[in-house]
Amino acid sequence: MTRRLRRHQDFTIELTVSNDDFIRPPRDAQRQWLLNRTLEELVDQLEHLDAQARDYVAGSDQVRFQDRTQAELDDQELMEDWQIPVMRAMARIATASHGDVLEIGFGRGVSADFIQAEGVRSHTIVECNDAVVGRFRAWRERYRDRDIR
């Protein structure tokens, strides 16, 4: 049985893994990293949800939320509030060694900006959409002094 505890000023998260084969990579240190990373991501999400909850209005429970999983979304809808903290957290993790980073997909370059802000030796981006490749080229000009491919 593995226990993990993460204390925050507003809450405490306790994770108890009762199946020793659950999340079992080859090394124990890898498992600990994965479990700790999971808790950190949950803390980030809970902090963001706490901030969002303050924007709710009394009586808003009557609003019908729509399933948009198959809807066509405009640019503003694509970058919803919750995505930015998640992308920042992912960039922090991916750049922890400040070594070489491979990013699949450029999109609008938001995650690429976060990666550059953290600092890496090199940053390779794989993108197959021609329209996006044009945006990538314009974005890369802002980082001329960096090793970006």
Side-chain angles (χ1 to χ4, degrees):
M1 184 177 307
T2 301
R3 289 187 185 268
R4 284 275 166 270
L5 192 65
R6 176 65 165 84
R7 295 191 191 283
H8 184 273
Q9 66 186 22
D10 297 321
F11 55 86
T12 300
I13 299 172
E14 181 177 351
L15 173 66
T16 303
V17 179
S18 55
N19 178 350
D20 285 338
D21 291 329
F22 181 71
I23 305 181
R24 181 53 74 185
R27 294 189 179 134
D28 212 31
Q30 293 167 326
R31 182 182 200 204
Q32 300 312 318
W33 183 86
L34 289 168
L35 293 174
N36 289 338
R37 189 66 240 139
T38 299
L39 289 175
E40 290 300 317
E41 287 179 22
L42 181 56
V43 166
D44 287 346
Q45 290 176 5
L46 288 172
E47 288 173 337
H48 186 72
L49 288 172
D50 180 52
Q52 276 188 332
R54 291 186 206 115
D55 293 336
Y56 280 35
V57 177
S60 65
D61 58 323
Q62 297 172 7
V63 174
R64 290 196 173 102
F65 293 99
Q66 297 175 340
D67 177 7
R68 300 185 314 163
T69 56
Q70 299 301 314
E72 286 199 35
L73 305 175
D74 63 30
D75 290 349
Q76 183 64 34
E77 292 170 312
L78 288 174
M79 290 306 298
E80 297 204 21
D81 291 343
W82 63 268
Q83 292 173 311
I84 298 299
V86 170
M87 292 170 85
R88 269 198 189 104
M90 288 171 56
R92 264 194 325 269
I93 293 164
T95 62
S97 70
H98 301 288
D100 304 308
V101 172
L102 170 64
E103 184 176 8
I104 307 298
F106 179 74
R108 303 216 172 279
V110 176
S111 63
D113 276 333
F114 292 148
I115 288 169
Q116 288 302 308
E118 293 292 329
V120 293
R121 180 176 40 234
S122 73
H123 186 179
T124 301
I125 301 172
V126 177
E127 178 59 64
C128 61
N129 183 324
D130 289 337
V132 175
V133 169
R135 271 198 309 265
F136 163 75
R137 288 185 180 128
W139 171 88
R140 188 174 55 184
E141 286 299 309
R142 296 187 325 210
Y143 301 100
R144 286 185 211 161
D145 61 329
R146 310 260 178 101
D147 184 4
I148 299 173
R149 295 172 242 147

